[in-house]
Amino acid sequence: MIVSVGAVPTVGAYLLPDVLARFCREHPGVRLRLREDLHTELEDSVAKGEIDLALLNMPLRRAELVVRKLWTEDYVLAVHESHRFANSKSAIALRDIAGEPLLIVPVSPPRTRSPSLPSEEARRSMSSWKPTTTKRSAAWSPAASAWPSFPRIHDGRKPASQLRYLEIADAVLRRRVALVTHGTAYLGAAARALRDAIVAHVAKTRL
């Protein structure tokens, strides 16, 4: 039995590994297929029945999809430990970011502009929809990077990191993440079990 799940990259990289590993141990007869892709591509794939479920950023374009909201999060600023903001004890205001070069993880699609970071195109030093690429770049770059809050929870469990995560005091950019299935397509028992495992993990993580 095969269950296919899709996720936008920051969710796939930071939320799913623990869930999928546990699911495989508890359901050894199920084969999982994970696809990380852009929000719009995954939304279309669920609608076409190419994947069983997906973790996507809201809002969605397709009315035939069933949406279960999972969490909402602000964006934070990730900087290298040598950055001038790294040891800041307070949240960073947008006016303080105005002159900074930025590494951007786009929301969706790649050309989406962040309303909380005005005129970012003029300051953007790199844009990549692959979060690992942006994160590894942020580890050595003098630029700041706008990140969803969730990866910070994951990194906080690791003993050492070259990145520091800072609150953005007056940010207006937020991300809403939902678990999405097709409204009329039959969802098999294994896919339902994975859906429930993801929902339970999110509740336990208290996102």
Side-chain angles (χ1 to χ4, degrees):
M1 186 178 301
I2 298 174
V3 176
S4 55
V5 56
V8 291
T10 48
V11 175
Y14 291 95
L15 177 75
L16 286 183
D18 290 342
V19 179
L20 298 186
R22 186 180 304 110
F23 184 86
C24 287
R25 291 194 298 269
E26 296 174 353
H27 301 82
V30 178
R31 293 173 56 195
L32 294 179
R33 289 179 177 171
L34 172 61
R35 174 181 166 188
E36 289 184 291
D37 210 332
L38 296 175
H39 166 101
T40 48
E41 298 297 324
L42 292 173
E43 184 179 352
D44 290 341
S45 293
V46 175
K48 295 174 183 176
E50 296 172 350
I51 55 178
D52 296 305
L53 59 145
L55 292 145
L56 304 178
N57 300 330
M58 295 179 65
L60 304 182
R61 296 172 292 112
R62 291 180 172 269
E64 69 268 33
L65 301 181
V66 174
V67 176
R68 178 161 188 166
K69 298 176 184 177
L70 294 180
W71 76 86
T72 300
E73 60 185 335
D74 292 322
Y75 272 63
V76 295
L77 200 67
V79 298
H80 186 268
E81 60 185 6
S82 64
H83 195 280
R84 66 188 183 94
F85 290 158
N87 295 318
S88 176
K89 302 300 183 182
S90 58
I92 302 298
L94 289 180
R95 64 178 179 273
D96 297 326
I97 306 173
E100 296 295 318
L102 293 174
L103 301 174
I104 299 296
V105 179
V107 179
S108 175
R111 294 182 180 85
T112 298
R113 291 190 57 173
S114 306
S116 64
L117 300 173
S119 304
E120 71 178 37
E121 293 291 343
R123 306 179 278 115
R124 181 179 293 192
S125 60
M126 186 188 82
S127 176
S128 172
W129 65 273
K130 284 289 189 180
T132 50
T133 301
T134 304
K135 187 174 180 181
R136 288 176 67 88
S137 299
W140 55 260
S141 173
S145 176
W147 272 79
S149 299
F150 179 60
R152 177 178 56 175
I153 299 174
H154 179 276
D155 286 348
R157 302 184 184 127
K158 301 172 72 173
S161 174
Q162 292 178 308
L163 290 178
R164 300 291 181 266
Y165 292 98
L166 307 170
E167 303 289 340
I168 301 175
D170 43 359
V172 295
L173 179 62
R174 308 193 81 194
R175 178 170 78 161
R176 294 180 295 161
V177 178
L179 192 154
V180 178
T181 57
H182 196 287
T184 58
Y186 174 74
L187 199 63
R192 294 197 303 271
L194 179 58
R195 175 198 62 194
D196 295 343
I198 292 171
V199 172
H201 181 79
V202 169
K204 182 179 179 180
T205 308
R206 297 181 181 179
L207 291 172

mmCIF file of all heavy atoms in Angstrom, residues 2 9 29 31 36 41 58 60 63-64 76 99 105 107 116 134 168 175:
data_model
loop_
_atom_site.group_PDB
_atom_site.id
_atom_site.type_symbol
_atom_site.label_atom_id
_atom_site.label_comp_id
_atom_site.label_asym_id
_atom_site.label_seq_id
_atom_site.Cartn_x
_atom_site.Cartn_y
_atom_site.Cartn_z
ATOM 1 N N ILE A 2 0.554 2.192 -0.853
ATOM 2 C CA ILE A 2 1.353 3.409 -0.995
ATOM 3 C C ILE A 2 0.529 4.624 -0.581
ATOM 4 O O ILE A 2 -0.631 4.755 -0.984
ATOM 5 C CB ILE A 2 1.839 3.583 -2.442
ATOM 6 C CG1 ILE A 2 2.740 2.416 -2.844
ATOM 7 C CG2 ILE A 2 2.588 4.905 -2.607
ATOM 8 C CD1 ILE A 2 3.150 2.442 -4.296
ATOM 9 N N PRO A 9 8.563 23.144 1.291
ATOM 10 C CA PRO A 9 9.875 22.709 1.790
ATOM 11 C C PRO A 9 10.140 22.937 3.277
ATOM 12 O O PRO A 9 10.684 22.047 3.929
ATOM 13 C CB PRO A 9 10.848 23.502 0.912
ATOM 14 C CG PRO A 9 10.123 23.658 -0.377
ATOM 15 C CD PRO A 9 8.693 23.889 0.019
ATOM 16 N N GLY A 29 3.739 -2.093 6.667
ATOM 17 C CA GLY A 29 3.222 -2.509 5.369
ATOM 18 C C GLY A 29 2.913 -1.367 4.423
ATOM 19 O O GLY A 29 2.513 -1.598 3.272
ATOM 20 N N ARG A 31 4.053 1.955 2.256
ATOM 21 C CA ARG A 31 5.168 2.668 1.621
ATOM 22 C C ARG A 31 4.786 4.134 1.462
ATOM 23 O O ARG A 31 3.689 4.450 0.979
ATOM 24 C CB ARG A 31 5.482 2.057 0.259
ATOM 25 C CG ARG A 31 6.034 0.656 0.309
ATOM 26 C CD ARG A 31 6.136 0.081 -1.092
ATOM 27 N NE ARG A 31 6.937 0.934 -1.960
ATOM 28 C CZ ARG A 31 6.946 0.828 -3.291
ATOM 29 N NH1 ARG A 31 6.168 -0.056 -3.890
ATOM 30 N NH2 ARG A 31 7.712 1.617 -4.015
ATOM 31 N N GLU A 36 8.320 17.234 -2.018
ATOM 32 C CA GLU A 36 8.469 18.628 -1.610
ATOM 33 C C GLU A 36 8.434 19.498 -2.857
ATOM 34 O O GLU A 36 9.188 19.263 -3.798
ATOM 35 C CB GLU A 36 9.773 18.831 -0.853
ATOM 36 C CG GLU A 36 9.787 18.213 0.530
ATOM 37 C CD GLU A 36 11.070 18.524 1.271
ATOM 38 O OE1 GLU A 36 12.127 18.005 0.869
ATOM 39 O OE2 GLU A 36 11.018 19.287 2.239
ATOM 40 N N GLU A 41 2.072 24.006 -7.037
ATOM 41 C CA GLU A 41 2.216 22.703 -7.680
ATOM 42 C C GLU A 41 1.572 21.608 -6.844
ATOM 43 O O GLU A 41 0.904 20.710 -7.372
ATOM 44 C CB GLU A 41 3.699 22.398 -7.899
ATOM 45 C CG GLU A 41 4.419 23.374 -8.816
ATOM 46 C CD GLU A 41 3.854 23.356 -10.229
ATOM 47 O OE1 GLU A 41 3.459 22.272 -10.695
ATOM 48 O OE2 GLU A 41 3.795 24.428 -10.858
ATOM 49 N N MET A 58 -1.786 28.600 3.301
ATOM 50 C CA MET A 58 -3.066 29.162 2.884
ATOM 51 C C MET A 58 -2.844 30.604 2.433
ATOM 52 O O MET A 58 -1.855 31.222 2.807
ATOM 53 C CB MET A 58 -4.057 29.104 4.054
ATOM 54 C CG MET A 58 -4.413 27.679 4.478
ATOM 55 S SD MET A 58 -5.560 27.668 5.870
ATOM 56 C CE MET A 58 -7.006 28.424 5.110
ATOM 57 N N LEU A 60 -5.864 28.874 -0.371
ATOM 58 C CA LEU A 60 -5.844 27.996 -1.526
ATOM 59 C C LEU A 60 -6.674 28.592 -2.653
ATOM 60 O O LEU A 60 -7.531 29.438 -2.440
ATOM 61 C CB LEU A 60 -6.410 26.618 -1.157
ATOM 62 C CG LEU A 60 -5.731 25.889 0.007
ATOM 63 C CD1 LEU A 60 -6.388 24.536 0.204
ATOM 64 C CD2 LEU A 60 -4.243 25.735 -0.224
ATOM 65 N N ALA A 63 -11.465 25.312 -4.827
ATOM 66 C CA ALA A 63 -12.575 25.170 -3.877
ATOM 67 C C ALA A 63 -12.896 23.717 -3.565
ATOM 68 O O ALA A 63 -13.558 23.420 -2.563
ATOM 69 C CB ALA A 63 -13.823 25.866 -4.436
ATOM 70 N N GLU A 64 -12.447 22.771 -4.400
ATOM 71 C CA GLU A 64 -12.811 21.372 -4.191
ATOM 72 C C GLU A 64 -11.959 20.679 -3.130
ATOM 73 O O GLU A 64 -12.181 19.509 -2.808
ATOM 74 C CB GLU A 64 -12.701 20.591 -5.512
ATOM 75 C CG GLU A 64 -11.291 20.397 -6.042
ATOM 76 C CD GLU A 64 -10.854 21.493 -7.002
ATOM 77 O OE1 GLU A 64 -11.301 22.649 -6.802
ATOM 78 O OE2 GLU A 64 -10.087 21.215 -7.930
ATOM 79 N N VAL A 76 10.299 35.262 11.351
ATOM 80 C CA VAL A 76 11.368 35.779 12.202
ATOM 81 C C VAL A 76 12.572 36.090 11.321
ATOM 82 O O VAL A 76 12.614 35.724 10.142
ATOM 83 C CB VAL A 76 11.760 34.772 13.300
ATOM 84 C CG1 VAL A 76 10.610 34.567 14.260
ATOM 85 C CG2 VAL A 76 12.213 33.445 12.685
ATOM 86 N N GLY A 99 18.107 48.685 5.628
ATOM 87 C CA GLY A 99 19.343 48.743 4.870
ATOM 88 C C GLY A 99 20.055 47.417 4.732
ATOM 89 O O GLY A 99 21.164 47.358 4.192
ATOM 90 N N VAL A 105 13.342 33.226 1.593
ATOM 91 C CA VAL A 105 12.611 31.998 1.332
ATOM 92 C C VAL A 105 11.215 32.433 0.934
ATOM 93 O O VAL A 105 10.431 32.875 1.773
ATOM 94 C CB VAL A 105 12.537 31.091 2.575
ATOM 95 C CG1 VAL A 105 11.746 29.825 2.247
ATOM 96 C CG2 VAL A 105 13.924 30.733 3.056
ATOM 97 N N VAL A 107 7.298 32.851 0.024
ATOM 98 C CA VAL A 107 6.116 32.234 0.607
ATOM 99 C C VAL A 107 5.512 31.290 -0.418
ATOM 100 O O VAL A 107 5.488 30.087 -0.253
ATOM 101 C CB VAL A 107 5.110 33.308 1.065
ATOM 102 C CG1 VAL A 107 3.881 32.656 1.648
ATOM 103 C CG2 VAL A 107 5.757 34.237 2.065
ATOM 104 N N SER A 116 5.672 42.600 4.654
ATOM 105 C CA SER A 116 6.320 43.134 5.851
ATOM 106 C C SER A 116 7.738 43.607 5.581
ATOM 107 O O SER A 116 8.385 44.157 6.444
ATOM 108 C CB SER A 116 6.338 42.070 6.946
ATOM 109 O OG SER A 116 7.118 40.980 6.537
ATOM 110 N N THR A 134 18.905 28.219 1.394
ATOM 111 C CA THR A 134 18.906 29.529 2.027
ATOM 112 C C THR A 134 19.516 29.475 3.420
ATOM 113 O O THR A 134 20.274 30.347 3.819
ATOM 114 C CB THR A 134 17.476 30.073 2.103
ATOM 115 O OG1 THR A 134 16.913 30.088 0.793
ATOM 116 C CG2 THR A 134 17.457 31.483 2.671
ATOM 117 N N ILE A 168 10.533 39.859 14.842
ATOM 118 C CA ILE A 168 10.349 41.100 14.091
ATOM 119 C C ILE A 168 9.205 41.853 14.761
ATOM 120 O O ILE A 168 8.066 41.388 14.779
ATOM 121 C CB ILE A 168 10.029 40.823 12.611
ATOM 122 C CG1 ILE A 168 11.177 40.013 11.980
ATOM 123 C CG2 ILE A 168 9.831 42.124 11.848
ATOM 124 C CD1 ILE A 168 10.915 39.584 10.549
ATOM 125 N N ARG A 175 2.281 33.187 8.263
ATOM 126 C CA ARG A 175 2.020 32.005 7.446
ATOM 127 C C ARG A 175 0.979 31.140 8.129
ATOM 128 O O ARG A 175 1.080 30.837 9.313
ATOM 129 C CB ARG A 175 3.303 31.204 7.222
ATOM 130 C CG ARG A 175 3.068 29.940 6.419
ATOM 131 C CD ARG A 175 4.357 29.282 6.005
ATOM 132 N NE ARG A 175 4.969 28.525 7.101
ATOM 133 C CZ ARG A 175 5.890 27.576 6.914
ATOM 134 N NH1 ARG A 175 6.302 27.300 5.692
ATOM 135 N NH2 ARG A 175 6.413 26.948 7.941
#
